[in-house]
């Protein structure tokens, strides 16, 4: 699929990563506050953290070349192809508990998680 700026990306679906209503609501608020209405949340899996891999998230204006774009209601997620291998079947949630406030990835592929919930191993 061709994006507005002639960037070639793929349309994905919630089989790759589903977003809860709480996460969608918070993401919508963040995009509006950062003046990136129509933008997306980029989720990447990178090396690091206490369990070997960690999630990296950022608000972006649009997908990059070869990204996978997931549209979930009024919000959009962007994932690079390499990270998609680690994220398949995940759920993006949002928590406001006393220990962790922010987006949480519930990943069925992870064999272990660190106590902070920000890193994992396969």
């Amino acid at each position: 699929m061709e994006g507005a700026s002639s960037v070639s990306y793929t349309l994905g679906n919630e089989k790759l990563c589903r977003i809860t209503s709480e996460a969608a609501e918070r993401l919508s608020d963040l995009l509006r506050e950062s003046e990136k209405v129509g933008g997306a949340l980029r989720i990447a899996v990178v090396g690091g953290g206490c369990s070997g891999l960690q999630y990296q998230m950022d608000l972006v204006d649009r997908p990059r070349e070869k990204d996978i774009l997931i549209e979930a209601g009024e919000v959009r997620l962007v994932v690079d192809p390499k990270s998609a291998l680690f994220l398949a079947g995940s759920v993006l949630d949002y928590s406001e508990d006393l220990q962790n406030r922010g987006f949480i990835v519930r990943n069925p592929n992870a064999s272990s998680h660190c106590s902070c919930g920000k890193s994992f191993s396969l």
Side-chain angles (χ1 to χ4, degrees):
M1 160 139 301
E2 287 296 314
S5 62
S6 9
V7 172
S8 178
Y9 59 87
T10 303
L11 286 178
N13 59 41
E14 291 190 346
K15 288 182 182 179
L16 174 58
C17 186
R18 185 175 65 81
I19 184 168
T20 66
S21 58
E22 293 83 6
E25 184 178 324
R26 185 62 185 133
L27 177 54
S28 181
D29 291 345
L30 286 172
L31 289 166
R32 190 173 37 260
E33 290 168 11
S34 66
E35 299 180 2
K36 291 185 185 284
V37 176
L41 175 68
R42 173 177 295 285
I43 303 176
V45 175
V46 297
C50 47
S51 294
L53 296 169
Q54 63 186 355
Y55 303 108
Q56 189 174 54
M57 297 182 201
D58 192 23
L59 298 178
V60 297
D61 292 320
R62 67 187 64 78
R64 294 182 193 151
E65 188 74 24
K66 298 184 181 178
D67 274 347
I68 300 167
L69 174 69
I70 303 163
E71 296 180 311
E74 297 178 15
V75 296
R76 301 166 4 140
L77 302 177
V78 176
V79 179
D80 65 89
K82 182 179 175 185
S83 295
L85 298 172
F86 297 106
L87 287 170
S90 293
V91 175
L92 179 69
D93 200 1
Y94 187 79
S95 174
E96 289 196 24
D97 68 22
L98 294 174
Q99 295 290 338
N100 286 320
R101 181 178 179 170
F103 291 106
I104 300 168
V105 178
R106 300 191 195 291
N107 189 335
N109 306 305
S111 60
S112 66
H113 300 270
C114 70
S115 61
C116 71
K118 304 290 185 205
S119 70
F120 67 101
S121 63
L122 297 177

